Amino acid sequence: AGFAVFIVNGYLSDQQAELISERARAAQVVETVEVLAVNKSLSFGDNLTVDDVITVKYAKDYLPEGTFATKEELFPEGDEITRSVLRPMEANEVVLLANVTEAGEIASITQELRPLMRAFTIRVDASTGVSGFLRPGDKVDIYWTGALQGDAQFAATHLIGSSIELVAIDQSTDRNRVDTSIPSTVTVQVIPADVARLAQAQSEGKLSLALVGS
């Protein structure tokens, strides 16, 4: 009888230990959901097609806003109506609504502009364009240099725009560009009233940019 009790107690102890271990493992299990991700690297402006996406598992508690669970959600108008990529994406990166255009839209500078803002292009060179170190998304101060009242003897420089956001360098809106080539133009984002002022200043003198620290 004593031996039987010993055996039963040992069995119960093993069962309890296994139950505790199983509960510990269950507590470590992370609930996942299936979302769409890209299956290759994509750059700004690339078309996102149904062949470019795969289904991956993502931790439910850390799911970012704007994901797509099915291809029907990502391409609501059918597989032939694609979206365009608004920022570079790497393979297996989750597709977010903020990173792609609406179905059928083409990525362009208009997606970079805030509501009611305008894009204005400024001619630059190595000296006026911060020697090629500018990137879309940077902010710059704009200085005008020219002759006062048309008299070359009275040249002056004035700050005419502060912390103006760049939306494009030459024809690129890629914020992750790594080259330091000297651009010929930069495009800034300004309110409508500033467009005429900048156009007049550029026609009567030279505009220079100073990069603002982040």
Side-chain angles (χ1 to χ4, degrees), residues 136-150:
D138 288 344
K139 292 185 178 181
V140 295
D141 290 340
I142 303 176
Y143 291 86
W144 173 82
T145 300
L148 297 178
Q149 300 179 350

mmCIF file with all atom_site columns, all heavy atoms in Angstrom, residues 136-150:
data_model
loop_
_atom_site.group_PDB
_atom_site.id
_atom_site.type_symbol
_atom_site.label_atom_id
_atom_site.label_alt_id
_atom_site.label_comp_id
_atom_site.label_asym_id
_atom_site.label_entity_id
_atom_site.label_seq_id
_atom_site.pdbx_PDB_ins_code
_atom_site.Cartn_x
_atom_site.Cartn_y
_atom_site.Cartn_z
_atom_site.occupancy
_atom_site.B_iso_or_equiv
_atom_site.pdbx_formal_charge
_atom_site.auth_seq_id
_atom_site.auth_comp_id
_atom_site.auth_asym_id
_atom_site.auth_atom_id
_atom_site.pdbx_PDB_model_num
ATOM 1   N N   . PRO A 1 136 ? 14.784 64.881  -50.463 1.00 0.00 ? 136 PRO A N   1
ATOM 2   C CA  . PRO A 1 136 ? 13.358 65.153  -50.277 1.00 0.00 ? 136 PRO A CA  1
ATOM 3   C C   . PRO A 1 136 ? 12.968 64.934  -48.818 1.00 0.00 ? 136 PRO A C   1
ATOM 4   O O   . PRO A 1 136 ? 13.377 63.963  -48.192 1.00 0.00 ? 136 PRO A O   1
ATOM 5   C CB  . PRO A 1 136 ? 12.690 64.129  -51.195 1.00 0.00 ? 136 PRO A CB  1
ATOM 6   C CG  . PRO A 1 136 ? 13.698 63.868  -52.272 1.00 0.00 ? 136 PRO A CG  1
ATOM 7   C CD  . PRO A 1 136 ? 15.027 63.915  -51.567 1.00 0.00 ? 136 PRO A CD  1
ATOM 8   N N   . GLY A 1 137 ? 12.194 65.849  -48.281 1.00 0.00 ? 137 GLY A N   1
ATOM 9   C CA  . GLY A 1 137 ? 11.831 65.791  -46.869 1.00 0.00 ? 137 GLY A CA  1
ATOM 10  C C   . GLY A 1 137 ? 12.650 66.729  -46.009 1.00 0.00 ? 137 GLY A C   1
ATOM 11  O O   . GLY A 1 137 ? 12.244 67.069  -44.898 1.00 0.00 ? 137 GLY A O   1
ATOM 12  N N   . ASP A 1 138 ? 13.835 67.158  -46.504 1.00 0.00 ? 138 ASP A N   1
ATOM 13  C CA  . ASP A 1 138 ? 14.632 68.137  -45.767 1.00 0.00 ? 138 ASP A CA  1
ATOM 14  C C   . ASP A 1 138 ? 13.928 69.491  -45.756 1.00 0.00 ? 138 ASP A C   1
ATOM 15  O O   . ASP A 1 138 ? 13.066 69.775  -46.596 1.00 0.00 ? 138 ASP A O   1
ATOM 16  C CB  . ASP A 1 138 ? 16.016 68.303  -46.414 1.00 0.00 ? 138 ASP A CB  1
ATOM 17  C CG  . ASP A 1 138 ? 16.917 67.109  -46.178 1.00 0.00 ? 138 ASP A CG  1
ATOM 18  O OD1 . ASP A 1 138 ? 16.607 66.303  -45.276 1.00 0.00 ? 138 ASP A OD1 1
ATOM 19  O OD2 . ASP A 1 138 ? 17.931 66.981  -46.891 1.00 0.00 ? 138 ASP A OD2 1
ATOM 20  N N   . LYS A 1 139 ? 14.319 70.326  -44.813 1.00 0.00 ? 139 LYS A N   1
ATOM 21  C CA  . LYS A 1 139 ? 13.810 71.692  -44.759 1.00 0.00 ? 139 LYS A CA  1
ATOM 22  C C   . LYS A 1 139 ? 14.960 72.665  -44.980 1.00 0.00 ? 139 LYS A C   1
ATOM 23  O O   . LYS A 1 139 ? 16.076 72.430  -44.500 1.00 0.00 ? 139 LYS A O   1
ATOM 24  C CB  . LYS A 1 139 ? 13.116 71.960  -43.423 1.00 0.00 ? 139 LYS A CB  1
ATOM 25  C CG  . LYS A 1 139 ? 11.823 71.172  -43.269 1.00 0.00 ? 139 LYS A CG  1
ATOM 26  C CD  . LYS A 1 139 ? 11.085 71.528  -41.992 1.00 0.00 ? 139 LYS A CD  1
ATOM 27  C CE  . LYS A 1 139 ? 9.782  70.753  -41.907 1.00 0.00 ? 139 LYS A CE  1
ATOM 28  N NZ  . LYS A 1 139 ? 9.016  71.084  -40.669 1.00 0.00 ? 139 LYS A NZ  1
ATOM 29  N N   . VAL A 1 140 ? 14.676 73.732  -45.709 1.00 0.00 ? 140 VAL A N   1
ATOM 30  C CA  . VAL A 1 140 ? 15.715 74.697  -46.063 1.00 0.00 ? 140 VAL A CA  1
ATOM 31  C C   . VAL A 1 140 ? 15.217 76.123  -45.818 1.00 0.00 ? 140 VAL A C   1
ATOM 32  O O   . VAL A 1 140 ? 14.007 76.392  -45.836 1.00 0.00 ? 140 VAL A O   1
ATOM 33  C CB  . VAL A 1 140 ? 16.137 74.561  -47.543 1.00 0.00 ? 140 VAL A CB  1
ATOM 34  C CG1 . VAL A 1 140 ? 16.785 73.212  -47.797 1.00 0.00 ? 140 VAL A CG1 1
ATOM 35  C CG2 . VAL A 1 140 ? 14.949 74.770  -48.483 1.00 0.00 ? 140 VAL A CG2 1
ATOM 36  N N   . ASP A 1 141 ? 16.179 77.011  -45.580 1.00 0.00 ? 141 ASP A N   1
ATOM 37  C CA  . ASP A 1 141 ? 15.907 78.444  -45.622 1.00 0.00 ? 141 ASP A CA  1
ATOM 38  C C   . ASP A 1 141 ? 16.263 78.925  -47.027 1.00 0.00 ? 141 ASP A C   1
ATOM 39  O O   . ASP A 1 141 ? 17.253 78.462  -47.623 1.00 0.00 ? 141 ASP A O   1
ATOM 40  C CB  . ASP A 1 141 ? 16.751 79.195  -44.593 1.00 0.00 ? 141 ASP A CB  1
ATOM 41  C CG  . ASP A 1 141 ? 16.302 78.917  -43.165 1.00 0.00 ? 141 ASP A CG  1
ATOM 42  O OD1 . ASP A 1 141 ? 15.152 78.479  -42.984 1.00 0.00 ? 141 ASP A OD1 1
ATOM 43  O OD2 . ASP A 1 141 ? 17.118 79.128  -42.252 1.00 0.00 ? 141 ASP A OD2 1
ATOM 44  N N   . ILE A 1 142 ? 15.471 79.839  -47.556 1.00 0.00 ? 142 ILE A N   1
ATOM 45  C CA  . ILE A 1 142 ? 15.679 80.354  -48.911 1.00 0.00 ? 142 ILE A CA  1
ATOM 46  C C   . ILE A 1 142 ? 16.122 81.812  -48.832 1.00 0.00 ? 142 ILE A C   1
ATOM 47  O O   . ILE A 1 142 ? 15.441 82.641  -48.211 1.00 0.00 ? 142 ILE A O   1
ATOM 48  C CB  . ILE A 1 142 ? 14.399 80.231  -49.762 1.00 0.00 ? 142 ILE A CB  1
ATOM 49  C CG1 . ILE A 1 142 ? 13.931 78.772  -49.810 1.00 0.00 ? 142 ILE A CG1 1
ATOM 50  C CG2 . ILE A 1 142 ? 14.644 80.759  -51.172 1.00 0.00 ? 142 ILE A CG2 1
ATOM 51  C CD1 . ILE A 1 142 ? 12.628 78.586  -50.555 1.00 0.00 ? 142 ILE A CD1 1
ATOM 52  N N   . TYR A 1 143 ? 17.259 82.098  -49.460 1.00 0.00 ? 143 TYR A N   1
ATOM 53  C CA  . TYR A 1 143 ? 17.804 83.447  -49.475 1.00 0.00 ? 143 TYR A CA  1
ATOM 54  C C   . TYR A 1 143 ? 17.779 83.995  -50.899 1.00 0.00 ? 143 TYR A C   1
ATOM 55  O O   . TYR A 1 143 ? 18.086 83.277  -51.855 1.00 0.00 ? 143 TYR A O   1
ATOM 56  C CB  . TYR A 1 143 ? 19.243 83.463  -48.948 1.00 0.00 ? 143 TYR A CB  1
ATOM 57  C CG  . TYR A 1 143 ? 19.356 83.173  -47.465 1.00 0.00 ? 143 TYR A CG  1
ATOM 58  C CD1 . TYR A 1 143 ? 19.419 81.867  -47.006 1.00 0.00 ? 143 TYR A CD1 1
ATOM 59  C CD2 . TYR A 1 143 ? 19.392 84.215  -46.548 1.00 0.00 ? 143 TYR A CD2 1
ATOM 60  C CE1 . TYR A 1 143 ? 19.514 81.599  -45.645 1.00 0.00 ? 143 TYR A CE1 1
ATOM 61  C CE2 . TYR A 1 143 ? 19.490 83.955  -45.189 1.00 0.00 ? 143 TYR A CE2 1
ATOM 62  C CZ  . TYR A 1 143 ? 19.546 82.647  -44.741 1.00 0.00 ? 143 TYR A CZ  1
ATOM 63  O OH  . TYR A 1 143 ? 19.636 82.390  -43.404 1.00 0.00 ? 143 TYR A OH  1
ATOM 64  N N   . TRP A 1 144 ? 17.434 85.267  -51.003 1.00 0.00 ? 144 TRP A N   1
ATOM 65  C CA  . TRP A 1 144 ? 17.455 85.952  -52.297 1.00 0.00 ? 144 TRP A CA  1
ATOM 66  C C   . TRP A 1 144 ? 18.618 86.933  -52.319 1.00 0.00 ? 144 TRP A C   1
ATOM 67  O O   . TRP A 1 144 ? 18.833 87.699  -51.370 1.00 0.00 ? 144 TRP A O   1
ATOM 68  C CB  . TRP A 1 144 ? 16.154 86.716  -52.506 1.00 0.00 ? 144 TRP A CB  1
ATOM 69  C CG  . TRP A 1 144 ? 16.162 87.593  -53.744 1.00 0.00 ? 144 TRP A CG  1
ATOM 70  C CD1 . TRP A 1 144 ? 15.915 87.209  -55.022 1.00 0.00 ? 144 TRP A CD1 1
ATOM 71  C CD2 . TRP A 1 144 ? 16.438 89.003  -53.788 1.00 0.00 ? 144 TRP A CD2 1
ATOM 72  N NE1 . TRP A 1 144 ? 16.015 88.285  -55.874 1.00 0.00 ? 144 TRP A NE1 1
ATOM 73  C CE2 . TRP A 1 144 ? 16.342 89.399  -55.142 1.00 0.00 ? 144 TRP A CE2 1
ATOM 74  C CE3 . TRP A 1 144 ? 16.771 89.952  -52.824 1.00 0.00 ? 144 TRP A CE3 1
ATOM 75  C CZ2 . TRP A 1 144 ? 16.551 90.717  -55.547 1.00 0.00 ? 144 TRP A CZ2 1
ATOM 76  C CZ3 . TRP A 1 144 ? 16.985 91.267  -53.228 1.00 0.00 ? 144 TRP A CZ3 1
ATOM 77  C CH2 . TRP A 1 144 ? 16.875 91.635  -54.580 1.00 0.00 ? 144 TRP A CH2 1
ATOM 78  N N   . THR A 1 145 ? 19.373 86.903  -53.408 1.00 0.00 ? 145 THR A N   1
ATOM 79  C CA  . THR A 1 145 ? 20.461 87.846  -53.614 1.00 0.00 ? 145 THR A CA  1
ATOM 80  C C   . THR A 1 145 ? 20.229 88.581  -54.925 1.00 0.00 ? 145 THR A C   1
ATOM 81  O O   . THR A 1 145 ? 20.035 87.947  -55.979 1.00 0.00 ? 145 THR A O   1
ATOM 82  C CB  . THR A 1 145 ? 21.828 87.135  -53.669 1.00 0.00 ? 145 THR A CB  1
ATOM 83  O OG1 . THR A 1 145 ? 22.047 86.443  -52.442 1.00 0.00 ? 145 THR A OG1 1
ATOM 84  C CG2 . THR A 1 145 ? 22.955 88.139  -53.897 1.00 0.00 ? 145 THR A CG2 1
ATOM 85  N N   . GLY A 1 146 ? 20.223 89.893  -54.881 1.00 0.00 ? 146 GLY A N   1
ATOM 86  C CA  . GLY A 1 146 ? 19.990 90.669  -56.093 1.00 0.00 ? 146 GLY A CA  1
ATOM 87  C C   . GLY A 1 146 ? 20.252 92.143  -55.862 1.00 0.00 ? 146 GLY A C   1
ATOM 88  O O   . GLY A 1 146 ? 20.626 92.574  -54.763 1.00 0.00 ? 146 GLY A O   1
ATOM 89  N N   . ALA A 1 147 ? 20.051 92.915  -56.933 1.00 0.00 ? 147 ALA A N   1
ATOM 90  C CA  . ALA A 1 147 ? 20.282 94.354  -56.876 1.00 0.00 ? 147 ALA A CA  1
ATOM 91  C C   . ALA A 1 147 ? 19.022 95.056  -56.385 1.00 0.00 ? 147 ALA A C   1
ATOM 92  O O   . ALA A 1 147 ? 17.912 94.742  -56.823 1.00 0.00 ? 147 ALA A O   1
ATOM 93  C CB  . ALA A 1 147 ? 20.680 94.881  -58.250 1.00 0.00 ? 147 ALA A CB  1
ATOM 94  N N   . LEU A 1 148 ? 19.201 95.980  -55.461 1.00 0.00 ? 148 LEU A N   1
ATOM 95  C CA  . LEU A 1 148 ? 18.070 96.768  -54.960 1.00 0.00 ? 148 LEU A CA  1
ATOM 96  C C   . LEU A 1 148 ? 17.727 97.863  -55.949 1.00 0.00 ? 148 LEU A C   1
ATOM 97  O O   . LEU A 1 148 ? 18.605 98.603  -56.420 1.00 0.00 ? 148 LEU A O   1
ATOM 98  C CB  . LEU A 1 148 ? 18.417 97.367  -53.602 1.00 0.00 ? 148 LEU A CB  1
ATOM 99  C CG  . LEU A 1 148 ? 18.698 96.360  -52.470 1.00 0.00 ? 148 LEU A CG  1
ATOM 100 C CD1 . LEU A 1 148 ? 19.085 97.101  -51.196 1.00 0.00 ? 148 LEU A CD1 1
ATOM 101 C CD2 . LEU A 1 148 ? 17.505 95.463  -52.247 1.00 0.00 ? 148 LEU A CD2 1
ATOM 102 N N   . GLN A 1 149 ? 16.457 97.976  -56.291 1.00 0.00 ? 149 GLN A N   1
ATOM 103 C CA  . GLN A 1 149 ? 15.959 98.993  -57.217 1.00 0.00 ? 149 GLN A CA  1
ATOM 104 C C   . GLN A 1 149 ? 16.699 98.971  -58.549 1.00 0.00 ? 149 GLN A C   1
ATOM 105 O O   . GLN A 1 149 ? 16.896 99.995  -59.188 1.00 0.00 ? 149 GLN A O   1
ATOM 106 C CB  . GLN A 1 149 ? 16.065 100.393 -56.584 1.00 0.00 ? 149 GLN A CB  1
ATOM 107 C CG  . GLN A 1 149 ? 15.254 100.521 -55.300 1.00 0.00 ? 149 GLN A CG  1
ATOM 108 C CD  . GLN A 1 149 ? 15.390 101.883 -54.665 1.00 0.00 ? 149 GLN A CD  1
ATOM 109 O OE1 . GLN A 1 149 ? 16.229 102.696 -55.061 1.00 0.00 ? 149 GLN A OE1 1
ATOM 110 N NE2 . GLN A 1 149 ? 14.558 102.159 -53.668 1.00 0.00 ? 149 GLN A NE2 1
ATOM 111 N N   . GLY A 1 150 ? 17.162 97.763  -58.940 1.00 0.00 ? 150 GLY A N   1
ATOM 112 C CA  . GLY A 1 150 ? 17.805 97.617  -60.242 1.00 0.00 ? 150 GLY A CA  1
ATOM 113 C C   . GLY A 1 150 ? 19.214 98.159  -60.318 1.00 0.00 ? 150 GLY A C   1
ATOM 114 O O   . GLY A 1 150 ? 19.813 98.164  -61.391 1.00 0.00 ? 150 GLY A O   1
#
